[in-house]
Amino acid sequence: MDTLDTVSTKMQQIAQNAERMPQVSFTSLSHHLDSEWMYEAYKETRKDGAVGVDGQTAEEFQVELKGNLESLLELAKSGKYKAPPVRRAYIPKPGSKEERPLGIPTFSDKVLQKAVSWLIEPIYEADFHDCSYAFRPNRSQHMALNSLWKGLMGMNGGWIIDVDIRKYFDSIKWSYLSDILKLRVRDGVLIRLIGKWMNAGIMEDGELAFHDRGVPQGGVVSPILSNIFLHEVMDKWFHEVVLPRLQGKAFEVRFADDVMLCFENKADAVRVLEVLPKRLAKYGLELHPKKTKLVNFVKPQGNDGDYKRGTRPDTFTFLSFNHFWKRSRKGNPVIARKTNQARLRIALEVMNIWCRRNRHMKLSEQHAALCRKVAGHYAYYGITGNYVSIKNYLNQVERIWQKWLGRRSWRDKLNWARMRDRVLSKYPLPKPRIVVTWA
């Protein structure tokens, strides 16, 4: 049996125990941490990521791989491990002048965080509700979209609370997270390690700062921790406290901190919206007052006027898709989705920048890269009913490519006819296609 099989077997055992004992807090998990577990964690750690405060790359870590893993393991189990601060970096927010802060751990920290996340993940997979789809094995954004579509179609639309939690990842308070973790995990080694990561501090411009809240976006263990926190704060509360008190049907769909609460009855939605700020405030979270809204998404009654702007139900955006009611080919009301215009604009801006920066690259190399990018766009946005949007995306990408190829030289202007006959005939971009289909 190879090391991967051994680690998988241990994770299955943890999952089985967690499912069999839903009220038990696990006090002994770190004994699973051994050289095989650490090696598999290293293999699954991204090797091309940004470096942390120590400047060590994955290649440098690999030079003394066995020794580095053994040292990391010994320090973690003995309690001597000192979590280095994360390096603050910023990336542009798509479609905004703001920047998103990232916390970049060292490579050795990433390996250890991967090992620890593997220990706690099977426990919470037994606890998580089906409504959550982010940062979980074998789950995706498309599955969340499908669940939302089926739920709303099944109860003829309804009233939706589009929840926006202000700066969620930066607002998670370690003291609250620690209490929540201990409901299921009381292993001293793991709790101590997670506490060290949460309190390691942030290094920015040579200065070290400490905070009592926030999980670094960029940390390997951060996704599972943020999911655990919102599972306790939102999902359990909604299913165990809210649902039994409602008059009509309701359901939740959540992808990370993108939360949609859907209700058959307007009065139920209004009542929940009134108490939701108090529930979040109990754990140090806050709703965004402008972005959180109640959406009337009740199924149109069939009159043509119900589909006209100003009289039809509201639309909403979830996971970069606009959702709205339209008539099917048979004339029945159906929920349709198309690419959100802001997201389409961002995707085209990114493509414009790439074509400008790489316009002097060989044409064959440009073509290969553009094919990958366009196919990637189809892989996400190519869902049932969104053909027109992805076709529009392709048309505009071709125009962008023509614009920057035409600026490689002032002598030979490349108009659209020449672009079509000389370039696209030999180097065609992938045709629009629906990749994800649902019955």
Side-chain angles (χ1 to χ4, degrees), residues 50-54 84-87 103-110 113 197 216-220:
V51 298
V53 293
D54 62 355
V86 296
R87 181 175 66 84
I104 311 299
T106 63
F107 184 79
S108 60
D109 223 9
K110 292 177 184 178
Q113 288 187 24
W197 286 322
Q217 295 186 63
V220 176

Side-chain angles (χ1 to χ4, degrees), residues 42-55:
Y42 160 78
K43 285 168 58 178
E44 292 298 315
T45 301
R46 182 177 171 180
K47 308 298 190 298
D48 59 348
V51 298
V53 293
D54 62 355

